[in-house]
Amino acid sequence: MLALTEADLAQAEQKYQVFLAAARLERNETIDASEQSQAEAAADLAEAFDDKAHDHSAKIAVINGIDFGPKDEVGPGAVVKIGNRYLVVGVSTAAFRCQGQDFIGISTASPIYSALEGKIAGDTCTFNGRELVVSEVH
C-alpha cells in the first residue's frame, strides 16, 4: 500500500515537472498567442499534478501513522475480507497485490467503511442495497 502510494507520488511529481517546464516561456523572444495558450494549458496541468502530489503526500502520512497490527474488528489498519475481496482500511488506493493476494485500499471517509466500521468476522452489513458478510478481519 505504501509502495503503491509512493509510486503514485513520484509519478505525479514527475508529471508536474514536465508540465511546469512546458509552461515556461522565453521572455526574451516574441511570444505568439498559440504559444501563450499552450503555456497556460501546461500551467493548469502542472497545478493539477501538484495537487495530486500533495494528496499522495497526505496519504503517505496517514499510512505511516496507522497501526497495521492484528485487529478483531474493522477499523483503521484492518484487513477485511468480503466475498473474495480484501479491503485494507486506511487510504483509498488502486488494487494491489501482496503475498499472492489482491487488495484494495479504502479510506475511513468512504461510504463502505461507514457500513463496515466496528464489524467483526461473521457480521453482516448493508451497502448499496446489498447484504455483505464480513468473513475475515485481520
Side-chain angles (χ1 to χ4, degrees), residues 5-25:
T5 306
E6 287 173 337
D8 289 344
L9 171 62
Q11 183 179 18
E13 288 175 338
Q14 179 186 20
K15 296 288 187 184
Y16 168 75
Q17 291 299 326
V18 167
F19 287 111
L20 185 62
R24 292 189 181 112
L25 295 172

Side-chain angles (χ1 to χ4, degrees), residues 1-3 5 58-68 90-91 93:
M1 183 178 237
L2 181 60
T5 306
K59 283 183 177 184
I60 289 169
V62 169
I63 291 169
N64 285 327
I66 292 176
D67 172 12
F68 287 99
V91 299
T93 67

